[in-house]
Structures are given as structure tokens and as C-alpha cells.
Amino acid sequence: LMRVQSALIWNISPLMSSAQPPVMYTTSLWSLPFESGAPVRILQAQERALLRDLRSAIDKRIENKIASARRFAVRVRNHAKMVDCYLTTYYNHKSLFGNKKQISDQIIEHPQNYHIYEGLS
């Protein structure tokens, strides 16, 4: 049982997006008693670990939502800074008689010439 579980984790790990190996619980969710010869201690320990981790995940769901909202807020702030930098550059380089479309295209196609990324950092 442990060899099969180890081989499964070894093969699944590269497919996961986490650096941590996946947690796998080997348990029986039947209400019937275990058959003779079954690894009862391992199955009961794994069942307790599963229930403990489920309880922990439920307790941490608010914290996870807050962390997710914070990550989203940081992305929105960075996007707003980028838009502000592009607009400031555009308003500084446009002229009364110049082609506004050409200026905006130049800024978008060659932001390094207008030091856009330096303004973001």
C-alpha cells in the first residue's frame, strides 16, 4: 500500500503547480469494520489526518479569501500605476498639431524609448 502511494505521489508531483508534494490520504470511508489483515492503524491515522486537515482548511478559508483579495488589490494598483505612467507620457508628448494616434502607437510599441518602465519602478 505504501509503495503504491509513494509511486503515485512520485508520478503526480511533476504535474502539480506546487513545489510541495501532494498530500494523499489512504483511508476507508466505509461504515463497516475493517477486514482482518487490513492495515488498520495506518488507515485510522490517515483518516484522523484527513479530518484534521479538512477542519484546518475550513478554519483558514477567511484568511485565504483575504490573501486572495490582497493579491488582486496589488494587481489593480500596479495596473493603475502603469496606466497613469502611459497617460502621463502621452500628455507630455502630444502637441496641438501632432498626430495623437501616431504618438500613442509609438508609446505603446516602444515604451523603452519613453522610459515607461522606469516610471513604474
Side-chain angles (χ1 to χ4, degrees), residues 17-74:
S17 62
S18 174
Q20 300 276 339
V23 177
M24 185 175 295
Y25 302 97
T26 307
T27 185
S28 173
L29 302 175
W30 284 65
S31 59
L32 301 174
F34 294 108
E35 292 183 7
S36 62
V40 176
R41 289 187 318 181
I42 292 174
L43 293 173
Q44 288 175 341
Q46 289 283 309
E47 185 176 344
R48 284 192 299 273
L50 171 65
L51 294 174
R52 183 186 62 239
D53 288 349
L54 280 174
R55 191 176 310 114
S56 174
I58 290 170
D59 292 342
K60 291 182 180 180
R61 70 176 177 218
I62 299 291
E63 295 170 12
N64 291 339
K65 285 185 179 184
I66 291 170
S68 177
R70 184 180 185 283
R71 283 191 304 272
F72 183 72
V74 167

Side-chain angles (χ1 to χ4, degrees), residues 79-95 100 103-104 107-108 111 114-116 119-120:
H79 183 75
K81 283 182 178 180
M82 188 183 317
V83 169
D84 180 59
C85 206
Y86 272 99
L87 286 175
T88 302
T89 304
Y90 172 75
Y91 289 131
N92 288 340
H93 286 87
K94 76 173 188 169
S95 64
K100 295 176 185 174
I103 292 171
S104 66
I107 293 171
I108 291 170
Y114 296 92
H115 309 289
I116 297 287
L120 291 174

